[in-house]
């Protein structure tokens, strides 16, 4: 059983919800982002979502787009992102790592080479937002064969007719986008989220983690209360964009994690 399933089993046994933190690899530079990444488990993060910078991040709002631009300007690449994972794994063999990004950098590297390198580096799962289920043969099925979870996004517009296709080859957990739009947009509403989370849980048999529009410890607690976990990205990346010291960024993450774990 992989690290992601192990983590959710442990959290379920502890009657706790998962807290997933997103950072952009290489933002504002490789060493600083690695330092933040290394501090996330100690701040209460159960799963690390590591963004792979890309020049055309169509699903991301301004905060994440700017993080990607800063990372690219600092020289971050897919190869350097995998090396970050390798360096992290020298100190932490347990915390699950999910790479989130777009297909183009993977395609350019070569799917077979990428999956081999990602697996050897210690990556546990992938979120590739621009590959729909109709393209599962491109990356999803090879990733599953290589032992990597392929985590799919669902949205408020994923209806019952579409849901089986979306969840068919999904593993690890399902990422529910709580709002219609881009990252960093309006605040998520637990009352609106709850029915869809239940519907996706029933359809997939997997944990459902909610992201987009979660910005405060109070909101993290409320959303985690109706799901299996919560993801915070833009709010953390904003702290990094503001030039906060690593310790302050991690203190902010810790407050969010405590909120999620209180639910």
């Amino acid at each position: 059983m992989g690290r992601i399933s192990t983590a959710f089993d442990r959290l379920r046994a502890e009657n706790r919800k998962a807290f997933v933190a997103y950072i952009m690899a290489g933002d504002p530079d490789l060493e600083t982002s690695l330092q933040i990444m290394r501090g996330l488990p100690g701040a209460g993060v159960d799963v690390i979502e590591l963004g792979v910078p890309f020049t055309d991040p169509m699903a991301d709002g301004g905060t994440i787009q700017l993080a990607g631009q800063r990372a690219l300007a600092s020289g971050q690449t897919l190869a350097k992102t995998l090396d970050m994972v390798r360096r992290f794994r020298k100190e932490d063999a347990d915390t699950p790592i999910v790479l989130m990004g777009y297909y183009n950098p993977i395609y350019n590297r070569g799917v077979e080479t990428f999956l081999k390198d990602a697996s050897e580096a210690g990556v546990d799962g992938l979120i590739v937002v621009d590959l729909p289920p109709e393209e599962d043969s491109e990356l999803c099925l090879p990733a599953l064969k290589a032992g990597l979870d392929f985590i799919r996004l669902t949205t408020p517009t994923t209806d019952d007719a579409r849901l089986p296709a979306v969840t068919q080859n999904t593993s690890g957990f399902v990422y529910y986008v709580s709002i219609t739009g881009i990252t960093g947009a309006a605040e998520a509403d637990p009352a609106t989220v709850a029915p869809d989370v239940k519907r996706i849980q029933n359809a997939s048999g997997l944990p459902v983690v909610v992201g987009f529009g979660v910005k405060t410890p109070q909101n993290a607690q409320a959303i985690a209360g109706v799901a299996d976990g919560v993801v915070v990205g833009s709010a953390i990346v904003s702290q990094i964009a503001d030039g906060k010291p690593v310790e302050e960024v991690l203190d902010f993450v810790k407050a969010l994690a405590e909120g999620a774990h209180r639910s």
Side-chain angles (χ1 to χ4, degrees):
M1 190 164 58
R3 292 186 188 95
I4 294 174
S5 295
T6 298
F8 277 98
D9 285 349
R10 172 181 55 80
L11 288 163
R12 195 176 299 110
E14 296 171 356
N15 197 29
R16 291 200 306 155
K17 303 301 179 69
F19 180 68
V20 183
Y22 171 98
I23 61 169
M24 177 68 72
D27 176 34
D29 56 71
L30 191 153
E31 295 302 325
T32 302
S33 63
L34 179 59
Q35 191 177 355
I36 293 169
M37 183 181 181
R38 284 171 167 160
L40 293 177
V45 173
D46 300 299
V47 179
I48 296 172
E49 192 180 322
L50 188 62
V52 180
F54 180 51
T55 53
D56 188 22
M58 61 185 181
D60 296 319
T63 300
I64 304 297
Q65 287 187 16
L66 289 171
Q69 290 175 17
R70 290 191 298 269
L72 291 170
S74 75
Q76 191 70 13
T77 62
L78 177 57
K80 289 182 179 179
T81 301
L82 293 175
D83 190 54
M84 275 183 66
V85 177
R86 290 187 193 95
R87 293 171 67 185
F88 177 88
R89 283 286 175 234
K90 292 179 180 179
E91 301 176 6
D92 187 318
D94 299 319
T95 304
I97 297 172
V98 175
L99 294 187
M100 182 171 185
Y102 298 82
Y103 185 47
N104 186 273
I106 296 170
Y107 177 81
N108 285 341
R109 190 175 181 88
V111 168
E112 185 177 344
T113 299
F114 166 74
L115 292 175
K116 177 177 178 291
D117 292 346
S119 181
E120 290 177 351
V123 173
D124 302 292
L126 304 174
I127 301 173
V128 182
V129 299
D130 54 348
L131 278 180
E134 289 74 17
E135 304 294 337
D136 274 358
S137 60
E138 282 284 328
L139 180 62
C140 174
L141 296 180
L144 295 174
K145 187 175 179 180
L148 297 177
D149 285 316
F150 202 87
I151 296 150
R152 194 78 71 181
L153 301 182
T154 58
T155 74
T157 60
T158 308
D159 60 20
D160 288 340
R162 179 64 173 165
L163 193 55
V166 173
T167 60
Q168 180 179 8
N169 293 315
T170 299
S171 62
F173 60 89
V174 178
Y175 188 136
Y176 178 67
V177 177
S178 63
I179 54 176
T180 303
I182 54 175
T183 58
E187 189 171 282
D189 178 13
T192 304
V193 166
D196 273 340
V197 168
K198 184 61 66 177
R199 182 170 62 92
I200 297 163
Q201 287 169 333
N202 292 337
S204 68
L206 293 169
V208 176
V209 174
V210 176
F212 287 47
V214 182
K215 303 176 181 180
T216 67
Q218 294 76 19
N219 195 217
Q221 180 179 0
I223 293 296
V226 299
D228 297 296
V230 62
V231 185
V232 179
S234 294
I236 297 170
V237 171
S238 292
Q239 298 281 309
I240 298 169
D242 290 342
K244 299 286 181 65
V246 170
E247 294 77 11
E248 288 189 26
V249 174
L250 294 175
D251 284 344
F252 179 72
V253 172
K254 183 177 181 180
L256 292 164
E258 288 173 349
H261 291 152
R262 279 197 299 268
S263 61

